[in-house]
Amino acid sequence: DRLRSRGLGDVYKRQGNSAAVQASQVVLLDSDFARMPKVVDEGRKVVNNIERSASLFLVKNIFSFLMAIFSLAFAMSYPLRPAQIALISAFTIGLPSFLLALENNYNRIRGKFIPNVLSRAIPGGITDMLAVSILVVADMVLELGRPEVATTATMLLVAVGMMVLYHISRPLNKFRWTVLGGSFLALVLSIIFFHNLFALSRISATAVFLLLVLFFAEITIFRLLSKFADGVREVLVAYDQKGKDLTISDIKQALSLIHISEPTRPEPI
């Protein structure tokens, strides 16, 4: 208990007794502290990559939850078909999250896991819900038809998915640009050559106009929500570091960090 309470997380395997080994968080089997930077780098890689993957997956869950409530509240059918959801999930969530998890991301971990994930996922989920719900309401007036509504909603969700992917991939490097470009290319090819498989149909000029209007609205909404969420995350990081000693100047300094890209290499341990 004393070892745990004093934060003794690392011990030598050969020199430490069994109690010390059981109480430790990391055991150096070869008693070589020169390996600690690699241990820290591996931990950073795992946490950073899981945060990004979790954010991508959570966007769809937030949208589905909010859209289900909207559909129940107004007695409407769900606007998307399973095949269309599969298209969105495959190339804006599944493929990029798998590839990004392979990257050696050794950036220093800032903040806590849940706030970091939610701050990246909530803006995308809310933007998805607002765009699709406005589309569904517009359909009551314009009478586009369910196939056109479903196809237009799919395009809107694809656009938001790519914005979320771009947002969590910053700062971009060659590998991340490749992931973004590959995901976008896979989406375009799937829409062109496998539109029947994914239940996509031709849309009218009215639907195209509505798609463009909502697309530009999505950009504005997502930017505003992302900026707000990033600000909240930075304030929480500052509070986690300062606690009750947090001042207004600390909050202003934290908010100023929103426009500063994270380092591409880890800070010294």
Side-chain angles (χ1 to χ4, degrees):
D1 293 337
R2 289 183 180 179
L3 288 172
R4 293 181 185 275
S5 62
R6 293 179 182 177
L8 299 179
D10 308 320
V11 299
Y12 288 109
K13 174 65 176 178
R14 295 174 183 171
Q15 299 177 2
N17 56 35
S18 59
V21 170
Q22 293 176 4
S24 63
Q25 296 174 345
V26 177
V27 178
L28 300 175
L29 298 178
D30 55 0
S31 301
D32 184 8
F33 264 98
R35 298 185 182 274
M36 284 302 296
K38 293 182 179 180
V39 174
V40 174
D41 280 349
E42 191 65 25
R44 288 175 176 177
K45 174 184 175 181
V46 171
V47 174
N48 288 327
N49 289 339
I50 289 179
E51 279 187 0
R52 289 191 302 192
S53 298
S55 297
L56 288 175
F57 280 95
L58 201 57
V59 169
K60 186 185 73 171
N61 295 337
I62 293 172
F63 163 72
S64 299
F65 175 73
L66 295 177
M67 202 64 212
I69 293 177
F70 178 82
S71 300
L72 290 173
F74 294 95
M76 298 177 180
S77 59
Y78 198 77
L80 293 167
R81 299 179 180 178
Q84 295 163 343
I85 296 176
L87 173 67
I88 299 166
S89 299
F91 299 117
T92 65
I93 300 174
L95 178 63
S97 64
F98 171 75
L99 294 177
L100 289 175
L102 302 177
E103 184 184 19
N104 294 328
N105 186 351
Y106 300 139
N107 295 330
R108 187 167 186 172
I109 300 169
R110 300 182 67 250
K112 296 183 179 179
F113 181 82
I114 296 299
N116 288 346
V117 171
L118 291 178
S119 65
R120 294 181 175 93
I122 289 178
I126 294 178
T127 304
D128 279 339
M129 188 271 176
L130 290 175
V132 175
S133 61
I134 292 173
L135 174 65
V136 172
V137 172
D139 176 54
M140 297 179 181
V141 179
L142 301 176
E143 297 182 353
L144 298 173
R146 184 172 181 181
E148 287 196 36
V149 171
T151 301
T152 306
T154 303
M155 299 299 106
L156 291 172
L157 295 182
V158 164
V160 175
M162 294 304 298
M163 284 190 282
V164 173
L165 181 58
Y166 172 82
H167 182 69
I168 69 169
S169 298
R170 296 184 304 173
L172 295 173
N173 52 32
K174 290 183 180 180
F175 178 77
R176 296 176 188 179
W177 271 119
T178 302
V179 173
L180 276 169
S183 300
F184 180 75
L185 180 62
L187 279 166
V188 172
L189 294 177
S190 298
I191 292 171
I192 294 175
F193 296 106
F194 302 103
H195 53 273
N196 291 328
L197 176 64
F198 295 110
L200 301 175
S201 61
R202 292 182 178 273
I203 57 177
S204 62
T206 303
V208 171
F209 175 77
L210 189 59
L211 173 62
L212 291 175
V213 171
L214 291 176
F215 170 71
F216 288 108
E218 281 182 339
I219 296 176
T220 302
I221 294 171
F222 181 74
R223 282 181 177 176
L224 292 175
L225 291 176
S226 295
K227 187 175 182 180
F228 176 77
D230 290 343
V232 172
R233 184 180 70 245
E234 292 298 333
V235 171
L236 290 176
V237 171
Y239 178 78
D240 187 51
Q241 294 173 347
K242 299 291 184 68
K244 295 181 179 180
D245 297 329
L246 185 68
T247 62
I248 299 297
S249 61
D250 293 328
I251 295 176
K252 291 181 180 179
Q253 183 179 3
L255 294 176
S256 67
L257 295 175
I258 298 174
H259 306 289
I260 301 176
S261 299
E262 59 180 323
T264 55
R265 291 297 304 163
E267 301 177 13
I269 299 175

